[in-house]
Amino acid sequence: MNKIYHKFGITSALVQGLCLSLLCLKFWFNFDLITSSKLQLITPTVLATIIVLSKHFEGWNLSIIPNGLCTLLLSIALWTTTATTTSNATISIIFSLFAFIAWLLHLLAIAHFFSYKFNTPKGPFYVGFRSVRYQDLSISIFYPTEASHGNRARYYPDRLAVEKFYESSSVDKPLPRWIFNIFNDIANKARTNAYVDAPLLPPSKLPLLTASKEQFVPVIFSHGLALHRNSNSILCTELASRGHIVFSIDHIEDIKGCAKAKNESDLVREYQAKRVREVRKLMDILEKGQLLVDVFQTKVPVALDKIILMGHSFGGSTAIATALEDKRVYDCVVIDPWLAVLKKDEELRRKLTCNLFLIESETEDAAEPEAETRARHKILMDAQKNNGKRALYVIANRTDHMSFADCTLFFAPTFKREGLVSHLDEVHDMMGYWVEMIAKYAELVRFEDSSGGKQNPKELEFVELLKNNDKISYQAI
């Protein structure tokens, strides 16, 4: 079962249903299974305790509103059941009816505000996690480790991540902060599948299926607009579980300004350039080697000739823009890149000096026609013909732009209502499928001779996997 329903919410609904049943027995048959005075004391106490436990262990979602309302109305109905006057008895019946309506709304909310479990990494290793602030860069490092150790890292690495999500949630229309806090509370409680401060896997225990010998192949990940360095933790932990060290950078920008800007606006390009500088700065830091020494207290062998740069949305265009400037990028994996920020003739038509794997969601082109998503993707991919590098372009069937971000698993039913998710029941499985597909692509790098002297024996096998699958529309280059 991949869906998660609030257990405390269900428990609360069962208690409320029991209390409503006892009230019905009293009103209709004058039959008390339990004295009213005890009900008056026990019911509010039990229901309030369940709400507190829900907040502490699971986090709230919007089902807490009908839950709290039902609890309040039930309490009032119970307080008036001992009244002997006809008017007070009538009031008790009225509040009982309102409580019943609130209870039905609570049941509907429980069914609607479910979430999905985080996909578990499938690689041979557990995943460690370090949060690092280094030379003005905020970085999440995901890496292979031998065993689970310590606490799992939080989905939100810091308060800034929450603020960015709130800002993006109120771009089109004002959103009261208290509603956002309730809606988002489940994400505040969520933890990734990476263990804080776990020891790094000894390089000698890396998979033998590698041309890099005892070196970690590094992955640098750039997140989308309004997201954060842990927002694609499912992908990052999958890559780390297969032996990569993943560096996910936090980018900070004017979210509302960028969201409302069109195509190649000066503001968006300004932040694009800032992101590129941050990625290149991280590559400079990795070349010097001191970052990993400081983090792991030992020298860490990294295959700097095989840097894989990945990104989603604005992070995808960041990866492309970086690869256009910096020849240190060996491979580029971009998911629904926001290529509207790049100039068609000056940038999109240029050849890259690295391999490229572009994944486009099924609905993104139609969702924002002004961005010319598919047209720009094709311009970029056509420019890579005959450049001596691998260039793969696929459309991920039954996916949306948000299908690749962890937050979709928290808010899938709401995203469905907002038109951000098309196939609600397939969200979890499609996330797992594409995470694994990207991880398999990243594993190709292990087999490759970075000097270009040998053909990758696994590349043709991977291409055939793309061509012969109903989840993918393969686009020939």
Side-chain angles (χ1 to χ4, degrees), residues 74-233:
L74 264 176
S75 300
I76 296 174
L78 288 167
W79 291 335
T80 55
T81 52
T82 56
T84 56
T85 65
T86 303
S87 60
N88 281 348
T90 302
I91 291 174
S92 180
I93 293 174
I94 291 173
F95 275 101
S96 297
L97 289 173
F98 284 142
F100 178 72
I101 295 172
W103 181 66
L104 292 179
L105 292 175
H106 184 199
L107 293 178
L108 289 174
I110 289 173
H112 179 77
F113 292 108
F114 67 84
S115 59
Y116 285 103
K117 295 178 181 178
F118 269 24
N119 303 69
T120 304
K122 296 182 179 179
F125 307 112
Y126 289 95
V127 180
F129 176 87
R130 302 288 174 96
S131 179
V132 178
R133 180 73 178 175
Y134 198 87
Q135 295 186 15
D136 297 327
L137 295 180
S138 293
I139 311 164
S140 288
I141 305 177
F142 300 84
Y143 54 90
T145 188
E146 291 189 271
S148 58
H149 176 85
N151 296 322
R152 290 188 298 155
R154 292 184 177 276
Y155 168 71
Y156 281 129
D158 49 39
R159 191 64 192 171
L160 175 63
V162 179
E163 295 305 316
K164 288 200 289 185
F165 187 46
Y166 173 65
E167 188 175 348
S168 69
S169 300
S170 56
V171 167
D172 296 325
K173 52 187 176 182
L175 178 65
R177 187 60 190 243
W178 68 272
I179 292 181
F180 172 82
N181 289 342
I182 294 174
F183 175 76
N184 189 58
D185 197 41
I186 184 174
N188 283 327
K189 301 292 184 183
R191 294 182 180 270
T192 70
N193 287 306
Y195 295 90
V196 178
D197 295 335
L200 178 67
L201 179 81
S204 60
K205 295 188 178 182
L206 282 170
L208 297 177
L209 308 176
T210 173
S212 300
K213 300 178 182 178
E214 294 181 5
Q215 290 183 311
F216 296 97
V217 174
V219 177
I220 298 175
F221 191 89
S222 178
H223 62 73
L225 182 69
L227 297 180
H228 54 87
R229 52 195 163 98
N230 287 1
S231 59
N232 294 81
S233 72

Side-chain angles (χ1 to χ4, degrees), residues 219-224 232 235 239 272 275-276 279 307-324 329-339 341-342 348 352 354-361 364 373 376-378 380-381 384 390-396 399-401 404 434 437-439 441-442 462 466 477:
V219 177
I220 298 175
F221 191 89
S222 178
H223 62 73
N232 294 81
L235 174 57
L239 293 166
Q272 178 79 92
R275 282 169 164 252
V276 171
V279 173
I307 294 175
I308 304 174
L309 189 51
M310 295 188 182
H312 172 234
S313 192
F314 204 7
S317 61
T318 300
I320 296 296
T322 304
L324 287 171
V329 179
Y330 178 80
D331 213 307
C332 225
V333 179
V334 292
I335 308 164
D336 258 356
W338 186 20
L339 296 187
V341 65
L342 300 178
L348 292 182
L352 297 170
C354 65
N355 301 315
L356 176 61
F357 182 26
L358 191 155
I359 302 165
E360 178 187 319
S361 64
E364 181 62 7
T373 298
R376 287 176 177 261
H377 287 174
K378 289 183 176 180
L380 174 66
M381 298 310 296
Q384 310 315 311
R390 177 172 57 241
L392 302 175
Y393 173 25
V394 299
I395 297 174
T399 61
D400 306 277
H401 187 67
F404 306 95
W434 277 104
M437 189 63 61
I438 293 169
Y441 179 83
F462 183 80
L466 297 180
I477 304 302

Side-chain angles (χ1 to χ4, degrees), residues 40-104:
Q40 290 172 355
L41 176 65
I42 293 174
T43 300
T45 303
V46 170
L47 290 176
T49 301
I50 293 173
I51 289 175
V52 171
L53 291 174
S54 174
K55 168 68 174 176
H56 180 73
F57 289 105
E58 293 179 333
W60 287 339
N61 58 31
L62 290 178
S63 66
I64 197 66
I65 295 176
N67 183 357
L69 181 61
C70 181
T71 297
L72 176 63
L73 293 170
L74 264 176
S75 300
I76 296 174
L78 288 167
W79 291 335
T80 55
T81 52
T82 56
T84 56
T85 65
T86 303
S87 60
N88 281 348
T90 302
I91 291 174
S92 180
I93 293 174
I94 291 173
F95 275 101
S96 297
L97 289 173
F98 284 142
F100 178 72
I101 295 172
W103 181 66
L104 292 179

Side-chain angles (χ1 to χ4, degrees), residues 269-281:
R269 287 186 62 81
E270 175 186 336
Y271 282 111
Q272 178 79 92
K274 175 178 176 290
R275 282 169 164 252
V276 171
R277 289 194 299 271
E278 291 167 346
V279 173
R280 297 188 70 183
K281 183 175 182 177

